[in-house]
């Protein structure tokens, strides 16, 4: 199953993570510039195509049936609704649509076929397609690849040691097995985690060490700050210190030089300056659009103004350094239209 090739010890990762902040930023920025277009930020839009009622008990999640939160289970979105959302995302400059389903493992039969149609449709609209559907078997991974899926998101979330404090209905090994299936199917892997759940700095370093032990490294690494949702077991966790988020991003950038590092959930709580520090630290991707899956995210106008103020530009589609992303461009449906990069 998943090849874990540890290039770093825990002590080495902690030594990077704990550097004086300016030294850490300097090193991360150097790594970033050696491997990426320094002024470009990837804009990915999230869409929850099947919300709520999930069988898993992930302690952070608003969509788990184990927790009483504001989320009510909804029916699966129709293809035309998804394609409308894709066109709206494209019109404001997003280049990737990430479709989420609150499933423990991807369903079989008509619901899965419906997701395959969504992937084909999103690709035909000229967007990269990402999906996050829970655990997969080999056959499902193969079908997703065939439909033209660019990337699959499946997070390790935290260290193996802390995992059981947050989730009891599946194991770390289950997660690693799906990651291996995604990579074997030739889909770019999007895999990261969450900080602010009560984990130690060693847990954070261990998560990054495990991500960096995946061979190849994930094409993208989302770093989420916990959104503490009322009704979840983690509702009372204090907000993440933005400097801790910067440290996490910088360390991810140094350990996985060619991966896209995504400044993910929790951005709504960050000042413009804190977000710019995250970009300095090597973040080069964001979730873009007013909604994450069930919670809020900064406005599109606010984000465009932030990028403009910083002289940053949207990354072109399929311009990530991950060769698997580029390979998926050749697979699956061709775009129907040229991709406009600015608001229409
Ligand atoms: N059910 C699928 C799964 O678990 O892989 C896909 C959806 S799940 C919501 C995707 C990821 O979103 C989780 O692995 C977690 O890292 C992140 N996430 C979910 N709720 C969050 C929250 N409240 N704060 C921060 N990140 C969160
Ligand atoms: C990821 O790492 N973060 C995204 C995406 N992958 C699927 C989800 C964030 C969810 C935040 C809480 C919510 O909106 O429900
Ligand atoms: Fe379900 Fe995913 Fe939420 Fe866990 S994170 S409860 S698997 S939707």
């Amino acid at each position: 199953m998943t090849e874990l090739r540890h290039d770093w010890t825990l002590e080495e990762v902690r030594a990077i993570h704990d550097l004086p902040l300016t030294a850490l930023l300097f090193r991360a920025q150097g790594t970033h510039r050696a491997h990426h277009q320094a002024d470009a930020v990837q804009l990915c839009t999230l869409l929850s195509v099947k919300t709520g009622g999930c069988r898993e008990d992930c302690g952070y999640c608003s969509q788990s049936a184990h927790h009483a939160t504001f989320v009510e289970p909804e029916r699966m979105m129709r293809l035309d609704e998804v394609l409308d959302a894709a066109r709206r995302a494209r019109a404001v400059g997003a280049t990737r649509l990430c479709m989420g389903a609150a499933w423990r493992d991807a369903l079989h039969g008509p619901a899965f076929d419906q997701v395959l149609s969504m992937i084909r449709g999103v690709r035909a609209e000229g967007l990269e397609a990402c999906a996050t559907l829970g655990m997969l078997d080999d056959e499902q991974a193969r079908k997703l690849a065939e439909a033209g899926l660019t990337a699959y998101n499946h997070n390790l979330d935290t260290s193996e040691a802390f995992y059981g404090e947050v989730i009891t209905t599946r194991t770390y090994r289950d997660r690693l097995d799906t990651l291996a299936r995604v990579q074997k199917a030739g889909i770019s892997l999007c895999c990261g985690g969450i900080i602010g759940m009560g984990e130690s700095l060693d847990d954070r370093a261990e998560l990054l060490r495990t991500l960096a032990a995946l061979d190849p490294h994930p094409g993208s690494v989302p770093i989420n700050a916990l959104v503490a949702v009322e009704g979840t077991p983690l509702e009372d966790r204090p907000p993440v210190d933005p400097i801790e988020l910067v440290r996490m991003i910088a360390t991810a950038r140094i350990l996985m030089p060619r991966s896209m590092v995504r400044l993910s959930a929790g951005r709504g709580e960050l000042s413009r300056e804190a977000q710019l520090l995250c970009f300095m630290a090597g973040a080069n991707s964001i979730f873009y659009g007013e909604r994450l899956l069930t919670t809020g995210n900064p406005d599109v106008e606010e984000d465009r103004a932030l990028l403009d103020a910083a002289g940053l530009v949207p990354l072109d589609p399929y311009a990530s350094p991950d060769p698997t992303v580029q390979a998926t461009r050749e697979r699956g449906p061709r775009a129907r239209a040229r991709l406009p990069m600015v608001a229409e």
Side-chain angles (χ1 to χ4, degrees), residues 46 62-63 98 132 153 155 222 224 227 264-265 287 292-296:
L46 277 167
S62 62
Q63 304 195 67
C98 180
T132 180
N153 167 250
N155 290 340
N224 297 276
V227 179
S264 300
F287 286 125
L292 293 168
L293 290 174
T294 66
T295 67

Side-chain angles (χ1 to χ4, degrees), residues 212-232:
L214 294 170
D215 185 15
H217 288 165
S220 47
V221 178
I223 304 293
N224 297 276
L226 176 72
V227 179
V229 176
E230 206 181 316
T232 63

